Amino acid sequence: MKKINSLLIIILALGVFGIITTEMGIIGVLPQVIQKFNISASQAGWLISIFALVVAVSGPFLTLLTSGMNRKIVLLTAVLLFAISNIVYAYTTKFEVMLAFRIIPAIFHPVFFSVALVTAARLVPPEKGSKAITQVFAGITVGFAFGVPLTSYLAEQFSLEAAFLFGALVSAIAFVGILAWLPSMPVTEKMSYGKQLGILRKPQLWLNILTVIFIFAAMFSVYSYFAEYLGQVTAMNGSWVSIMLMAFGVIMILGNFMFGEFLHRNMTKTVILFPLLYAVIYLFVYYLGPYFVPMIVVVFIWGAVHSGGLIVSQAWLTTEAREAPEFGNSLFVSFSNLGITAGTSIGGWFISGLGIHQLIWSGVMFALLAFLFIMIKIKIFKSSRY
């Protein structure tokens, strides 16, 4: 039984990996998508922002609606839709169709994520629950580390179709694993909608939510156009961009553990300093962007700091959502994706209006806004315990 449960946790992490690869893999192939459909970079950016917007809008509500459903059915439905959508990406010849099939899986993104975390915790003894959740959560970091750059590599070396079929294969494997090994998991004690929604009455939660939105906007206003920036500003070819995506992702794994340790030592200081650190990194990206070798070094540092945004934001938001952890997780997923939508859209506007190099200032702007709302929260709620 222990071995089966360990395998299931890996399968759930694989499902999360597939979701991140589907959502963010588009970043690494944006140049090929632009070429295939003969569209602008800002138009292609909608493939990222529309996905994130749908997650942001639908996430908490769909999580509430499915909170009484058998968790196995919810997980299977979500990964199946991700597999089908990737197949559509691979073979459609119409940009509008691809855009539509970014919406469909996005609806189930926060549901899968929230349910997968709760399911993982139920598969192990209570004292090992947090470790199981961490292992599933690692699927996000590994998705950035390997899913995004591998998608880019497959598109560069083989074809755009091969890149998207890789995403479909990952989700298909997760589907088979869940179908074969996860037992039926009906919900026996459903938390009332009122109790879950009750946390939304807390003003300090909303200040934390605004901080999460701005942190993710800061991160993805620039990262969403990573391939375009390195290609145009640093003059890297497709192979070098793939290598940089891989390096960025791999160093994120290290950054994840590093910021986890920082949060363990002092959450408040880590949260305060994070957006300031990110703003400084962006200054390096801006001023060293045109220089090939220095930019390689900057990418490594950038990746380590970028990963901190995921864990810092999640920890900051959930400190005010302990009464309803599953709903709290869905709020994190939804509002972080709202930040991605805002960041990608504003980033696209900076590119269209000011040029790709000036894109960096959108990231700096959002980082400073995040810092402002962190300080407002701390100033107003001095007695809050983190």
Side-chain angles (χ1 to χ4, degrees), residues 259-298:
F259 277 93
E261 181 60 29
F262 292 158
L263 286 169
H264 178 71
R265 291 182 181 180
N266 194 313
M267 177 183 287
T268 305
K269 283 184 180 178
T270 302
V271 172
I272 290 171
L273 292 174
F274 177 79
L276 296 179
L277 177 59
Y278 216 119
V280 171
I281 293 300
Y282 274 151
L283 293 178
F284 281 105
V285 173
Y286 180 81
Y287 288 107
L288 297 179
Y291 304 100
F292 199 96
V293 175
M295 193 57 192
I296 292 174
V297 177
V298 170

Side-chain angles (χ1 to χ4, degrees), residues 93-160:
T93 57
K94 295 182 181 295
F95 178 70
E96 294 79 9
V97 173
M98 190 174 189
L99 199 61
F101 274 84
R102 293 292 287 172
I103 294 170
I104 294 168
I107 294 170
F108 283 87
H109 174 294
V111 177
F112 182 91
F113 187 81
S114 300
V115 173
L117 292 180
V118 173
T119 302
R122 285 186 58 183
L123 291 170
V124 296
E127 67 274 10
K128 294 184 179 179
S130 60
K131 184 178 179 182
I133 289 171
T134 301
Q135 289 171 337
V136 173
F137 201 84
I140 296 176
T141 308
V142 177
F144 279 104
F146 299 106
V148 175
L150 188 52
T151 301
S152 174
Y153 175 81
L154 290 170
E156 178 71 22
Q157 298 299 321
F158 298 97
S159 67
L160 197 56

Side-chain angles (χ1 to χ4, degrees), residues 196-212 316-323 327-328 331-332 335 377 381:
Q196 294 181 74
L197 290 169
I199 64 173
L200 297 177
R201 291 196 292 265
K202 299 166 68 175
Q204 57 267 49
L205 173 66
W206 284 102
L207 285 171
N208 285 14
I209 284 172
L210 285 169
T211 300
V212 168
W316 187 239
L317 191 150
T318 54
T319 55
E320 301 294 350
R322 293 190 181 102
E323 302 91 331
F327 185 57
L331 291 174
F332 166 68
F335 284 104
K377 158 71 186 293
F381 299 97

Side-chain angles (χ1 to χ4, degrees), residues 42-301:
S42 58
Q43 284 177 301
W46 272 103
L47 293 170
I48 302 164
S49 57
I50 196 69
F51 190 106
L53 179 61
V54 172
V55 171
V57 172
S58 68
F61 302 105
L62 202 61
T63 301
L64 283 173
L65 288 174
T66 58
S67 60
M69 290 178 61
N70 189 305
R71 284 171 176 150
K72 181 172 182 175
I73 294 172
V74 173
L75 293 171
L76 285 172
T77 302
V79 292
L80 180 61
L81 286 172
F82 270 84
I84 292 170
S85 296
N86 273 288
I87 293 170
V88 172
Y89 303 157
Y91 294 111
T92 186
T93 57
K94 295 182 181 295
F95 178 70
E96 294 79 9
V97 173
M98 190 174 189
L99 199 61
F101 274 84
R102 293 292 287 172
I103 294 170
I104 294 168
I107 294 170
F108 283 87
H109 174 294
V111 177
F112 182 91
F113 187 81
S114 300
V115 173
L117 292 180
V118 173
T119 302
R122 285 186 58 183
L123 291 170
V124 296
E127 67 274 10
K128 294 184 179 179
S130 60
K131 184 178 179 182
I133 289 171
T134 301
Q135 289 171 337
V136 173
F137 201 84
I140 296 176
T141 308
V142 177
F144 279 104
F146 299 106
V148 175
L150 188 52
T151 301
S152 174
Y153 175 81
L154 290 170
E156 178 71 22
Q157 298 299 321
F158 298 97
S159 67
L160 197 56
E161 290 77 13
F164 290 130
L165 289 175
F166 164 69
L169 178 63
V170 171
S171 291
I173 293 171
F175 178 88
V176 172
I178 293 167
L179 182 66
W181 288 295
L182 185 68
S184 178
M185 299 185 76
V187 176
T188 53
E189 294 181 17
K190 182 185 174 183
M191 187 181 294
S192 70
Y193 293 153
K195 187 173 181 181
Q196 294 181 74
L197 290 169
I199 64 173
L200 297 177
R201 291 196 292 265
K202 299 166 68 175
Q204 57 267 49
L205 173 66
W206 284 102
L207 285 171
N208 285 14
I209 284 172
L210 285 169
T211 300
V212 168
I213 291 171
F214 288 129
I215 286 177
F216 271 79
M219 293 162 62
F220 285 91
S221 60
V222 180
Y223 179 73
S224 295
Y225 302 98
F226 185 93
E228 281 289 292
Y229 189 87
L230 292 184
Q232 293 188 36
V233 177
T234 317
M236 290 186 179
N237 61 29
S239 296
W240 267 104
V241 170
S242 296
I243 292 169
M244 288 297 96
L245 279 165
M246 178 71 80
F248 189 96
V250 170
I251 204 69
M252 276 183 66
I253 298 173
L254 175 62
N256 189 63
F257 288 108
M258 181 175 70
F259 277 93
E261 181 60 29
F262 292 158
L263 286 169
H264 178 71
R265 291 182 181 180
N266 194 313
M267 177 183 287
T268 305
K269 283 184 180 178
T270 302
V271 172
I272 290 171
L273 292 174
F274 177 79
L276 296 179
L277 177 59
Y278 216 119
V280 171
I281 293 300
Y282 274 151
L283 293 178
F284 281 105
V285 173
Y286 180 81
Y287 288 107
L288 297 179
Y291 304 100
F292 199 96
V293 175
M295 193 57 192
I296 292 174
V297 177
V298 170
V299 165
F300 276 84
I301 303 170

